[in-house]
Amino acid sequence: MKALISVDMEGVSGIVHSSETNPERYDYQRGRELMTAEANAVIAGVLDAEPTADVLVADAHGTFRNLLPEQLDRRARLVRGKPRALNMLAGLDEETDAALFVGYHVRAGEGPGVLAHTMNGEILDVRVTGRAQGEDVRITGHTPGEGAQVTAHAPGDGAQVTAHTPGEGAQVTARTPGDGAQVTARTPGEGVQLTAHAPGEDVRTTGRSLGEIGLNAAMAGHLGVPVVLLSGDDAACAEAAALIPEVVTVPVKEALGMAAVVTLHPEEARDRLRRAAADAVSRRTEIPPLALTGPLHVEVDLASPHTIDLATLVPGVSRTAGARTVAFTAPDYGTAYRLILLLAQLATIRPA
């Protein structure tokens, strides 16, 4: 069994301020120690469940040089430094059986969430339009007078809507476990509009905002790997559960704001993480990968006009009607993920 543990810093118990996550600030060393200790708790949990597991730990914060190698559990191997393929998921491949996200945070624009952001302060939002695997949707009857029939097949449920006469519309909510798909059949000459409200449905997901949790979970899913555990504040855990209802979450603190929390004692957080990691790995076959199939349309809102100018130099990336948005279409999620990483890197370049 092979597991990848991706460890960020903002969602670690006790951490609340950038002084604890920034190498140039006074409290950073303490933050590194808290981060390393939580990584060790998850390593121990994985090995409690699978004593012979091959465990890789990807340092996934900032410079990717935060975890203290000499303090890390010697039974795991550490992926350290940058730049590198797959960024926060370095070490992940199709042979990996489970991914575990530790110390993660909520996306930019959500909250209250501790130190909420997406990749860096220049990425304001990432919206991905694609198709989530798991169901089969068939659309027929687009011609006038024929009616429109939409069949959504979901595990344990299905929804069928038929508009029989011109000018008639129908609306139904398919009550899938933990989810709902709203399917609106408009008049026969108009066609059919489909809107997905939550993951797990095989309908077009229109402009869904994804932060680091969603972007990385979808990359793991592209390789067929489920994300089985996520820890962070309560907002991060809620974001993960909305994307992957079956994921095991460990809220180690309650966010009161961007830099204010009610936190568990670090030792209590580590105890919970160890138990949860063992449980999550044991149930890995019950947790589906988050997989988005192409082609995918991606829109990225950028804070700096300079970054937008640089982004349009990338083949296939264009400026949209919005003043701060660039967009591109990718044939698959692996391509989309790498382009998003490139845009995040461009955002670090300052004008000469």
Side-chain angles (χ1 to χ4, degrees), residues 120-145:
N120 55 47
E122 296 294 324
I123 304 291
L124 302 178
D125 193 20
V126 179
R127 295 178 297 279
V128 179
T129 301
R131 190 175 295 280
Q133 294 179 347
E135 298 174 12
D136 178 32
V137 174
R138 294 191 298 274
I139 305 174
T140 61
H142 292 288
T143 59

Side-chain angles (χ1 to χ4, degrees), residues 140-206:
T140 61
H142 292 288
T143 59
E146 182 183 351
Q149 186 177 63
V150 181
T151 305
H153 295 284
D157 198 4
Q160 187 177 67
V161 183
T162 305
H164 294 287
T165 59
E168 179 184 336
Q171 189 177 68
V172 68
T173 300
R175 306 187 188 282
T176 58
D179 201 338
Q182 185 181 64
V183 183
T184 304
R186 297 176 179 251
T187 57
E190 278 185 276
V192 178
Q193 179 181 353
L194 298 162
T195 305
H197 291 288
E201 298 160 350
D202 194 9
V203 292
R204 187 56 48 174
T205 57
T206 304

Side-chain angles (χ1 to χ4, degrees), residues 22 68 73 80 110 172 178 223 227 246 260 266 291 301 316 325 340 343 350:
N22 186 330
L68 299 167
D73 190 319
R80 195 166 188 260
E110 283 295 296
V172 68
L223 296 175
V227 176
E246 301 86 353
D301 292 346
T325 305
I340 293 166
L343 294 179
R350 297 291 176 258

Side-chain angles (χ1 to χ4, degrees), residues 60-80:
H61 174 74
T63 62
F64 297 168
R65 301 190 308 272
N66 309 279
L67 290 167
L68 299 167
E70 67 277 14
Q71 293 184 18
L72 197 69
D73 190 319
R74 64 187 300 166
R75 296 173 294 176
R77 293 180 292 147
L78 175 61
V79 185
R80 195 166 188 260

Side-chain angles (χ1 to χ4, degrees), residues 21-341:
T21 63
N22 186 330
E24 298 179 358
R25 303 293 294 275
Y26 72 94
D27 229 3
Y28 171 66
Q29 183 63 25
R30 179 169 162 275
R32 299 178 77 187
E33 292 173 356
L34 290 169
M35 179 189 187
T36 304
E38 287 205 355
N40 281 338
V42 176
I43 294 167
V46 171
L47 293 171
D48 286 345
E50 294 283 347
T52 62
D54 178 16
V55 181
L56 272 73
V57 178
D59 190 321
H61 174 74
T63 62
F64 297 168
R65 301 190 308 272
N66 309 279
L67 290 167
L68 299 167
E70 67 277 14
Q71 293 184 18
L72 197 69
D73 190 319
R74 64 187 300 166
R75 296 173 294 176
R77 293 180 292 147
L78 175 61
V79 185
R80 195 166 188 260
K82 67 190 311 183
R84 64 195 193 195
L86 296 188
N87 204 46
M88 296 175 73
L89 298 178
L92 188 80
D93 58 27
E94 293 170 338
E95 302 302 315
T96 306
D97 297 289
L100 301 90
F101 292 175
V102 179
Y104 269 56
H105 53 81
V106 75
R107 67 182 177 84
E110 283 295 296
V114 179
L115 300 172
H117 65 279
T118 299
M119 296 188 176
N120 55 47
E122 296 294 324
I123 304 291
L124 302 178
D125 193 20
V126 179
R127 295 178 297 279
V128 179
T129 301
R131 190 175 295 280
Q133 294 179 347
E135 298 174 12
D136 178 32
V137 174
R138 294 191 298 274
I139 305 174
T140 61
H142 292 288
T143 59
E146 182 183 351
Q149 186 177 63
V150 181
T151 305
H153 295 284
D157 198 4
Q160 187 177 67
V161 183
T162 305
H164 294 287
T165 59
E168 179 184 336
Q171 189 177 68
V172 68
T173 300
R175 306 187 188 282
T176 58
D179 201 338
Q182 185 181 64
V183 183
T184 304
R186 297 176 179 251
T187 57
E190 278 185 276
V192 178
Q193 179 181 353
L194 298 162
T195 305
H197 291 288
E201 298 160 350
D202 194 9
V203 292
R204 187 56 48 174
T205 57
T206 304
R208 179 162 199 158
S209 291
L210 298 176
E212 292 172 29
I213 293 171
L215 294 170
N216 289 332
M219 186 61 227
H222 179 67
L223 296 175
V225 181
V227 176
V228 299
L229 177 136
L230 180 133
S231 73
D233 67 17
D234 55 331
C237 290
E239 184 176 318
L243 291 164
I244 312 165
E246 301 86 353
V247 70
V248 175
T249 59
V250 185
V252 298
K253 53 193 175 187
E254 176 189 354
L256 302 179
M258 184 72 168
V261 300
V262 177
T263 182
L264 295 177
H265 188 284
E267 291 181 1
E268 175 62 25
R270 294 164 204 160
D271 288 345
R272 296 186 187 189
L273 283 166
R274 182 169 183 167
R275 292 193 299 268
D279 177 52
V281 168
S282 297
R283 297 198 290 112
R284 63 186 181 274
T285 59
E286 303 169 18
I287 302 173
L290 176 63
L292 298 177
T293 58
L296 299 162
H297 180 73
V298 179
E299 294 183 343
V300 182
D301 292 346
L302 298 164
S304 168
H306 178 68
T307 305
I308 295 172
D309 291 341
L310 290 175
T312 58
L313 298 176
V314 179
V317 177
S318 61
R319 190 190 306 261
T320 71
R324 66 185 188 188
T325 305
V326 296
F328 62 87
T329 298
D332 55 62
Y333 188 78
T335 302
Y337 184 78
R338 288 171 172 83
L339 272 172
I340 293 166
L341 295 181

